[in-house]
Amino acid sequence: MVATLIVPGLNGSPEGHWQRHWARDHAAGTIVRQASWARPVLENWQAALEIELERVGEAWLVAHSLGCLLAANLANRPAARRVKGAFLVAPCDLERTERLHPGAIDFGMMPTEALPFPSVVVGSRDDPYMDFAELRRYAVQWGSEFHDLGHAGHINIASDFGRWEQGYRLFSDFAKQFENQGNKRARPRLHDVLCPAMS
């Protein structure tokens, strides 16, 4: 069974967050731990993720918010070859996030390189951390499929996303496309699939 590495964002994913439920509900799921959740430094977070990828050998990534940018920053790194695919939920915009959390984040620039592994972006039309049009643009740049959840906030506890069974189904549908295809990158495409939010 291919491992699933769950990649939280700023401040981690507290109890009740869908990523916590995911780790409990999926036997292959492991949360990638960071030494400092409150003061993310890209190099430190990359090191922790790459250590986990080395440990498991190959993995799906299930990321949220700043964790999506961490996954996207793997684009030109050797560890990318260990990524089976990435499920990127509510990626944040660094400029907006830094305004909302001044002085907390040292994450460089927004990643814009095409990802060398399959990926899907799941986004919201009213996410305070990312403009919807910008989100669509990043999905194209990364070469990701795109799923529109409608008005779902930041797809977190504050927007009533606890055990997110719809997310399980979206990930399963995504992963099935690549189960028997090796580690081929998805071609850039947008799927404007409006999905009702489900907690």
Side-chain angles (χ1 to χ4, degrees), residues 42-80:
L42 177 59
E43 291 78 10
N44 297 341
W45 278 35
Q46 277 182 329
L49 175 57
E50 291 176 1
I51 286 169
E52 282 299 296
L53 284 167
E54 180 73 23
R55 181 183 67 82
V56 299
E58 183 182 40
W60 297 99
L61 303 182
V62 174
H64 180 254
S65 193
L66 193 64
C68 299
L69 306 192
L70 179 62
N73 269 295
L74 288 173
N76 293 314
R77 297 181 69 84

Side-chain angles (χ1 to χ4, degrees), residues 102-126:
I105 300 166
D106 180 5
F107 237 66
M109 305 291 290
M110 283 292 295
T112 58
E113 296 292 323
L115 302 182
F117 42 77
S119 60
V120 59
V121 168
V122 180
S124 164
R125 291 173 177 258
D126 59 350

Side-chain angles (χ1 to χ4, degrees), residues 76-124:
N76 293 314
R77 297 181 69 84
R81 71 183 188 278
R82 298 187 180 278
V83 178
K84 182 82 170 172
F87 188 70
L88 307 173
V89 180
C92 64
D93 175 74
L94 279 177
E95 186 175 335
R96 283 191 177 204
T97 305
E98 287 166 355
R99 286 200 304 267
L100 292 167
H101 303 276
I105 300 166
D106 180 5
F107 237 66
M109 305 291 290
M110 283 292 295
T112 58
E113 296 292 323
L115 302 182
F117 42 77
S119 60
V120 59
V121 168
V122 180
S124 164

Side-chain angles (χ1 to χ4, degrees), residues 182-195:
N183 202 25
K184 299 177 182 177
R185 185 173 69 85
R187 288 179 292 177
R189 52 183 172 169
L190 278 181
H191 286 189
D192 288 315
V193 180
L194 180 60
C195 304

